[in-house]
Amino acid sequence: MFKLFTNMLKEEWRIHSTIFGSLSFALFPVMIFGIAFMGSFLLPLFRAVIPGGDLSMIVHALFLLLGIMVGAFGLIGQEAMNRRFGQASLLAYSARSLPISVQEIFCTFVIKDTVYYFCLWVLPFVGGFALASPFIGIPLSLPALLLLTLTLAFLTGLSVVFFLSTVYARSKLYLGVILALLLISGAGLYLFAGINIALFFPPLMLFYSFSWVLFGFTCAVILCLSAVAVLLFTSEYTDTAQRYSSVLAPIAQRLSFFPYPPLAAKDLIDLSRSGSFIGQTIFSFLIPLGLLWFLLSVLTRLLPPGGVLLLFAILTGVIASTMYTWITAFDSYNSYTCLPVSVRALLTSKICSFTVLQLIPAALIIVVSLLSNGVAYLIPALVLCLSISFFSLAVTVWQTGLSPSVMVYDAKVLVTYLFVLGIALIVLIALSFMNPYYSLASVLLFLPGWLFVRESFMKWDILDQPTF
Amino acid sequence: MPPQVPADVSSGKMDIPLIHYSKNMSLMENSPEIIKALGLFKQYGDVTAIDNVSLSVGKGELFGLLGPNGSGKTTMIKMLTGQVRPTGGSATVLGLDVEKDPIGVRERVGIIPEQETPPSFLTATEYLDFVGDVRHIEDVQKKADWWFDFLDFSDKRDVLCKDLSRGTRQKLMFTQAFLHKPVLALIDEPLINFDPIMQHKVKDYLAEYVKAGNTIFISTHILQIAEEICTGFAILHKGKLLHTGTVALLKERDQHLDDFFLSLVQKDRHV
């Protein structure tokens, strides 16, 4: 069991270091530590805007979410790795070929995830906060308590996902019933009794008022969920073959104004059927931008009129450009090697699909402008957002070709990207703050953007494509 | 057109094994060369995957590129289909330079890669529609239907490719390669995922396809298959071409391909 545990730890490290590079990944906890340390000095500023209770709720919610995401990746890890690296196999699946029970493997897997992500996220985060605490007048007992409660929040997320996934493997109906009951009781309590169930999240309750009884209860919940998950775990899944009626031709027909309709249609089908469209929109777009809006709103008094909205539009443009990774992540170049499709054609079709996706940031900017009484700045905000998004896309395509999610972790690529984009952003932020309508000049970015794309066609057409 | 064998070899004057008699030479001097490689060389970092390989394949041949695992067979097919660029040397396929016009080559040939990789989130039917669109094939549905029936996977036509078994994915890749009836097909390990019944069916199909005047280039390390269906063959080991010859000639000498292959490779290992 210990040998399996250490090998699983090694495997997890190698998955990450293969994707991000050994050094970059080794520096990741250091980065978390640094961010937490420096971010702690902003706490007094945040406290002036939102109550401290909400802040601790947000932090605990983030670690709960981290647990959920880690658990979900653990369960779909093999498939994700296969898509990215070709044939991959994880130790978690070795019960098929070795005399180890699936329960033992699953149990080791849970312990490994707990230890690994505690060291990767929880410890550096709380460590940074603890180091800053004396400087911002926070007693050291608070980071110690936070270390405990954030670990428990992470473990709750992990155990909930494992529990729900094993229920799902046994019966989709039971899973539906459990989720419906949770949703109905939560909504009922909130609507009819005005009780926010988030306040009854055990690790959060423990953070507000520590007691050994509550601590025991929180641990019991996690252990029960994990034990049930281990007991119910089965590697025998019901037939999951998904069937669909053919939609490629109709979608390609609708996209016939694009240069390569079938390729763009395939991108959109990939996005929809992989589930990444909804998942990425929520987790990679709306949630980060929600957090950004919250952070920027702190600066309202410091920025000129419309400044927050325009700054938000600029950052939305940068984040919107990462939608390029959505349409390349699940599309292996291997699929095209037997067809007469050039890299230039693929890049062109990806840019077309990306254009369709830009409706999302455009809609978001419109909604935020309306909600924040910033309609007067809607047009400059929209132009800024889309210009930056397309410019950033062009730089990404030029630097990373068809493999942005892998190549962006190449230090040279990342530095070039940040340098080129950084110059554009500094100029545009300065212009926007001088006069919001000066930011309309951002349309000029389409010219260098076009040049970058043209250059990338020539660059990537003559290189052997890495088949990640 | 059957391969022409040099007179001194076919008359039996040379000792067996007939190593190097035709090394780096065309067996098909009198027939149009469908594939011609001259001094092909491929380097990946410090590793030499293909080392100065020259060969040619004539029209109407079912040519087998044989070699142990890691001998460079897949790299060779990738270079001949313009998927990777040679570090040195040159190659033409159907008269087109693979380096200058890789898309032109892929337009005209059918390719089945080593790993069956149809797009995960398209159904089998949608994938063939997609291939039809990309290759501008008319009546693609009708043609696809024939293949669904022939390879016996009609019941899987609306299943996502990621949910297909390896064997079915191989059937799908086989279909996409032959959907446009190419004059040349390059197949990496053609039968590896098929059951014996399907292997038999596919072998017959390939033999008929060649009889109709087309050319097939396969790479495999399963020598029984090569001996059964190939006309010409080449043996690759550690990126180097050890031998090119014909199966007919071996049979004439009452020698089996696997014995011949093993002796050749083992000899090279000792060297």
Side-chain angles (χ1 to χ4, degrees):
Chain A
M1 178 112 163
F2 185 71
K3 187 87 178 164
L4 183 63
F5 169 75
T6 51
N7 278 312
M8 277 186 170
L9 272 181
K10 268 190 227 168
E11 185 182 63
E12 193 78 12
W13 166 264
R14 284 175 189 163
I15 289 172
H16 288 111
S17 57
T18 306
I19 298 171
F20 306 126
S22 293
L23 181 64
S24 303
F25 189 62
L27 289 174
F28 185 77
V30 180
M31 187 183 78
I32 297 288
F33 180 87
I35 289 172
F37 175 71
M38 289 186 286
S40 301
F41 289 96
L42 295 174
L43 272 178
L45 198 63
F46 289 138
R47 276 182 178 159
V49 183
I50 57 163
D54 286 359
L55 259 184
S56 44
M57 192 192 289
I58 289 168
V59 172
H60 281 83
L62 283 177
F63 275 81
L64 174 74
L65 195 66
L66 177 70
I68 291 170
M69 284 163 60
V70 166
F73 185 80
L75 295 168
I76 60 156
Q78 173 136 319
E79 198 175 337
M81 292 292 287
N82 277 340
R83 282 180 204 157
R84 180 161 284 181
F85 299 112
Q87 295 300 308
S89 186
L90 302 180
L91 275 171
Y93 297 87
S94 52
R96 292 167 189 164
S97 53
L98 293 174
I100 313 171
S101 72
V102 286
Q103 276 76 18
E104 189 180 339
I105 287 180
F106 190 59
C107 195
T108 314
F109 185 80
V110 174
I111 297 169
K112 177 268 298 176
D113 265 2
T114 306
V115 172
Y116 188 85
Y117 288 96
F118 174 79
C119 296
L120 195 70
W121 278 93
V122 187
L123 204 56
F125 182 84
V126 179
F129 178 58
L131 192 68
S133 295
F135 303 105
I136 51 175
I138 287 175
L140 273 175
S141 58
L142 195 70
L145 181 62
L146 197 63
L147 182 67
L148 177 72
T149 57
L150 288 186
T151 307
L152 292 172
F154 170 75
L155 287 176
T156 308
L158 201 65
S159 56
V160 164
V161 165
F162 286 152
F163 170 74
L164 292 178
S165 65
T166 46
V167 173
Y168 171 80
R170 296 273 173 177
S171 161
K172 287 175 190 165
L173 180 69
Y174 287 163
L175 178 72
V177 170
I178 291 172
L179 288 177
L181 280 176
L182 286 174
L183 199 69
I184 291 166
S185 51
L189 279 171
Y190 184 74
L191 292 172
F192 299 114
I195 298 168
N196 182 357
I197 54 157
L199 295 170
F200 293 96
F201 178 47
L204 189 63
M205 288 167 72
L206 201 64
F207 180 73
Y208 288 150
S209 86
F210 181 85
S211 78
W212 287 107
V213 175
L214 193 56
F215 174 67
F217 172 74
T218 312
C219 292
V221 169
I222 293 167
L223 283 174
C224 277
L225 287 170
S226 304
V228 173
V230 170
L231 288 173
L232 285 180
F233 186 78
T234 172
S235 56
E236 291 169 18
Y237 291 95
T238 48
D239 180 28
T240 55
Q242 292 172 275
R243 289 174 181 270
Y244 291 91
S245 52
S246 181
V247 293
L248 185 101
I251 294 178
Q253 187 78 39
R254 263 179 242 156
L255 298 175
S256 56
F257 49 89
F258 280 151
Y260 302 98
L263 299 183
K266 181 189 166 296
D267 285 341
L268 298 182
I269 291 173
D270 278 352
L271 262 181
S272 155
R273 289 184 185 163
S274 65
S276 56
F277 179 67
I278 294 172
Q280 297 272 31
T281 304
I282 294 171
F283 293 108
S284 306
F285 190 73
L286 294 177
I287 289 180
L289 282 170
L291 281 170
L292 269 174
W293 179 258
F294 154 72
L295 291 169
L296 290 177
S297 59
V298 175
L299 305 171
T300 309
R301 277 170 289 173
L302 305 171
L303 297 180
V308 170
L309 178 64
L310 293 174
L311 200 52
F312 180 73
I314 288 172
L315 295 173
T316 303
V318 175
I319 292 183
S321 71
T322 63
M323 287 177 177
Y324 181 59
T325 61
W326 303 7
I327 44 180
T328 48
F330 289 97
D331 197 22
S332 167
Y333 183 71
N334 279 325
S335 306
Y336 300 101
T337 51
C338 52
L339 295 172
V341 179
S342 65
V343 175
R344 175 189 295 251
L346 278 175
L347 290 173
T348 308
S349 93
K350 300 285 173 209
I351 293 170
C352 293
S353 308
F354 177 86
T355 307
V356 175
L357 290 177
Q358 292 313 291
L359 292 172
I360 300 171
L364 180 75
I365 293 297
I366 292 170
V367 170
V368 170
S369 303
L370 293 173
L371 293 179
S372 63
N373 297 321
V375 181
Y377 310 110
L378 172 61
I379 300 296
L382 210 52
V383 171
L384 255 182
C385 172
L386 294 178
S387 305
I388 288 170
S389 179
F390 276 97
F391 178 70
S392 176
L393 165 81
V395 179
T396 308
V397 171
W398 172 55
Q399 283 286 288
T400 67
L402 290 165
S403 314
S405 51
V406 176
M407 291 192 68
V408 79
Y409 296 103
D410 179 321
K412 194 178 149 197
V413 167
L414 192 61
V415 167
T416 312
Y417 172 81
L418 291 175
F419 178 73
V420 176
L421 194 65
I423 292 172
L425 292 187
I426 288 167
V427 171
L428 286 172
I429 290 170
L431 282 174
S432 307
F433 288 176
M434 270 193 267
N435 182 329
Y437 287 92
Y438 287 176
S439 57
L440 291 172
S442 60
V443 286
L444 293 173
L445 285 178
F446 279 93
L447 182 65
W450 177 73
L451 292 173
F452 276 126
V453 169
R454 208 180 62 162
E455 180 64 25
S456 55
F457 285 164
M458 289 187 272
K459 175 182 173 182
W460 294 106
D461 242 354
I462 56 165
L463 288 175
D464 290 344
Q465 285 306 298
T467 46
F468 294 118
Chain B
M1 187 181 293
Q4 294 192 346
V5 181
D8 57 338
V9 176
S10 54
S11 62
K13 287 176 187 167
M14 291 179 84
D15 290 336
I16 293 175
L18 303 169
I19 307 168
H20 306 312
Y21 83 92
S22 60
K23 187 176 176 184
N24 293 348
M25 284 170 62
S26 170
L27 287 167
M28 314 295 292
E29 282 166 5
N30 297 326
S31 65
E33 283 166 331
I34 297 290
I35 296 174
K36 187 174 183 182
L38 205 61
L40 271 185
F41 191 80
K42 183 66 186 177
Q43 189 98 21
Y44 291 110
D46 296 336
V47 179
T48 303
I50 293 293
D51 190 357
N52 192 29
V53 170
S54 300
L55 59 83
S56 68
V57 178
K59 188 172 185 289
E61 261 201 280
L62 206 164
F63 191 90
L65 185 63
L66 317 176
N69 293 330
S71 57
K73 302 187 296 293
T74 297
T75 303
M76 193 68 191
I77 284 200
K78 283 185 173 176
M79 281 198 287
L80 291 176
T81 51
Q83 296 176 47
V84 297
R85 284 163 176 78
T87 315
S90 65
T92 56
V93 169
L94 298 168
L96 298 171
D97 187 315
V98 293
E99 206 173 355
K100 286 182 186 153
D101 191 6
I103 299 300
V105 171
R106 274 186 261 165
E107 255 168 21
R108 287 161 180 80
V109 306
I111 305 165
I112 305 178
E114 183 190 26
Q115 283 184 352
E116 66 297 335
T117 49
S120 301
F121 295 103
L122 295 188
T123 63
T125 301
E126 284 173 338
Y127 179 49
L128 296 179
D129 270 351
F130 178 77
V131 172
D133 268 354
V134 169
R135 290 194 178 279
H136 311 292
I137 302 170
E138 285 179 6
D139 283 335
V140 70
Q141 267 312 319
K142 207 171 155 188
K143 287 169 183 163
D145 285 345
W146 186 87
W147 279 98
F148 278 127
D149 284 343
F150 177 65
L151 292 178
D152 196 19
F153 68 122
S154 293
D155 56 330
K156 305 288 182 199
R157 59 173 74 213
D158 55 353
V159 174
L160 289 189
C161 293
K162 76 178 178 67
D163 295 331
L164 296 173
S165 68
R166 295 195 79 170
T168 311
R169 283 208 294 260
Q170 181 78 351
K171 290 177 185 177
L172 188 59
M173 294 310 286
F174 204 88
T175 303
Q176 65 79 26
F178 285 93
L179 205 57
H180 59 303
K181 294 224 181 260
V183 290
L184 168 68
L186 295 102
I187 312 173
D188 204 347
E189 295 295 355
L191 305 173
I192 205 151
N193 294 314
F194 288 145
D195 62 46
I197 300 166
M198 200 49 64
Q199 284 192 12
H200 190 76
K201 207 170 192 177
V202 167
K203 277 188 279 187
D204 284 352
Y205 179 82
L206 295 179
E208 286 301 315
Y209 202 74
V210 168
K211 266 188 202 164
N214 302 299
T215 308
I216 289 175
F217 184 98
I218 66 167
S219 97
T220 184
H221 55 239
I222 304 173
L223 300 171
Q224 289 83 349
I225 292 172
E227 189 160 20
E228 257 181 82
I229 63 174
C230 289
T231 48
F233 69 93
I235 296 174
L236 212 55
H237 186 228
K238 294 180 183 170
K240 288 185 177 169
L241 188 68
L242 297 186
H243 178 82
T244 56
T246 66
V247 174
L249 194 66
L250 283 182
K251 280 182 183 164
E252 212 172 88
R253 300 189 169 281
D254 205 20
Q255 196 173 21
H256 286 291
L257 185 58
D258 52 354
D259 296 331
F260 181 68
F261 175 89
L262 285 173
S263 67
L264 205 60
V265 170
Q266 272 164 6
K267 198 171 174 182
D268 191 57
R269 273 185 184 151
H270 291 307
V271 171

